[in-house]
Amino acid sequence: MLSLASPDEMVPERHPLRAVKKLADEALEELQPVFDEMYSDIGRPSIPPEHLLKATLLMALYGLRSERMFCEQLGYNMLFKWFLEMQIADAPFDQSSFGKNRARMMESDVAARFFAAVVKAAKKRKLLSSEHFSADGTLIESYASMKSFRPKDEDDNNDGDGNSWADFRGKKRSNDTHESKTDPDARLIRKGKGREAKLAFIANALTENRNGLVVGFGLELADGRAERDGALDLLETAVGGGRRVTLGADKNYDTREFVKVCRDLNVVPHVTQNVTNRRSAIDRRTTRHPGYDVSQRKRRRIEQVFGWLKSAANLRKSRYVGRAKTAFFATLAVASYNLLRIARLTAAPT
């Protein structure tokens, strides 16, 4: 018996991934000149970078733990083949293709360009607010373990497995004297008092307050100023010091330096007041306006972004070594979140 069918016929017409695919293809059209430069005119044919980028989106959307698992599912999952515009008989590509081609995509800054194209698509559909924003940061745990955090001048142990079973109890460890032998980019940090210290990165996000879409994202080395400095960098990129805007944020941003820089950028800092044994940098000139309370309510929506990244996209802990690779995947994961939000916001009522 002969059965003629295509992956497109196997995907239901009202499947939510159809709208996401349409938006992703629209964003990829703007990156076509970049992809053309990445193709080689010599050597054996390589996997199109568009496929690898869309495969990374699928990994984030379905929370797949590894590229090897994705390639395994690509062999029998017709939904994945349809999303990548492959035929039923097409063989899945090898997981090593990700590592070989990721460096080229990182050199061309493909993740950031794709994210910008998705934000542009949201702006085209008039889903973004141009006046009211929120900023926050969260920890993304490093691939390295705490056992790898050892003195900088210490060599690997003689066993050659990169593990040191020394007793750290009672010994002081800091980023000035220690580093991870597995991931030197990771920094030891804790999010708040009473929390355990972790080797992690700081992920900063800037969202607009109308629909909670992410308009700016960055992954920084973790330190005490990474959240505030990252928020200012995102503000300058997304807002550009033009018209006056508001920025909602939690009490960690309540410092005189941050508030002053915001006002210099023509940004009204709707920051939560921190009055614990100190004087807040925000006074009644800001808090007396009704918009301050609105910003305080809206800013909590940014936690939905972090919650989705850490649960649905499986990004609570990085699967890559180094800040650059982690930032590449995290940026595409945030773009996936935006694609889902745009698809739902523009869906026709049923």
Side-chain angles (χ1 to χ4, degrees), residues 7-22 58 61-62 77-80 82-83 340 343-344 347 350:
D8 183 72
E9 297 174 351
M10 299 181 180
V11 179
E13 288 294 331
R14 301 181 67 177
H15 195 284
L17 206 59
R18 285 191 177 273
V20 174
K21 181 178 184 299
K22 183 178 180 180
L58 286 172
L61 290 169
Y62 286 90
N77 193 321
M78 294 299 106
L79 182 66
F80 287 4
W82 164 81
F83 195 83
L340 280 176
R344 292 171 181 172
T350 58

Side-chain angles (χ1 to χ4, degrees), residues 51 53 64 85 88 113 123 197 235 282-283 298 314-315:
H51 284 188
L53 191 146
L64 299 181
E85 298 178 355
I88 295 179
R113 294 186 180 189
K123 186 176 181 179
L235 269 174
I282 304 295
D283 52 28
K298 291 288 187 177
N314 203 17
L315 198 56

Side-chain angles (χ1 to χ4, degrees), residues 287-305:
T287 59
R288 64 187 176 89
H289 295 286
Y292 178 82
D293 294 331
V294 176
S295 293
Q296 287 298 298
R297 292 196 304 271
K298 291 288 187 177
R299 71 169 180 81
R300 296 184 177 90
R301 299 183 65 180
I302 201 171
E303 298 297 342
Q304 298 177 7
V305 180

Side-chain angles (χ1 to χ4, degrees), residues 47 51 71 74-76 81 84 86-94:
I47 298 173
H51 284 188
C71 292
L74 187 59
Y76 54 79
K81 285 194 171 185
L84 300 183
M86 299 172 63
Q87 299 301 318
I88 295 179
D90 291 344
F93 43 82
D94 190 80

Side-chain angles (χ1 to χ4, degrees), residues 130-135 206 231-232 234-249 258-271 282 286 295:
S130 60
E131 298 178 344
H132 307 290
F133 300 89
S134 297
L206 180 72
L232 293 174
L234 296 177
L235 269 174
E236 290 188 72
T237 303
V239 180
R243 61 189 303 177
R244 195 175 191 183
V245 301
T246 65
L247 177 70
F258 180 81
V259 170
K260 181 181 182 303
V261 175
C262 283
R263 288 171 174 160
D264 291 342
L265 293 174
N266 204 20
V267 175
V268 181
H270 285 176
V271 177
I282 304 295
T286 302
S295 293

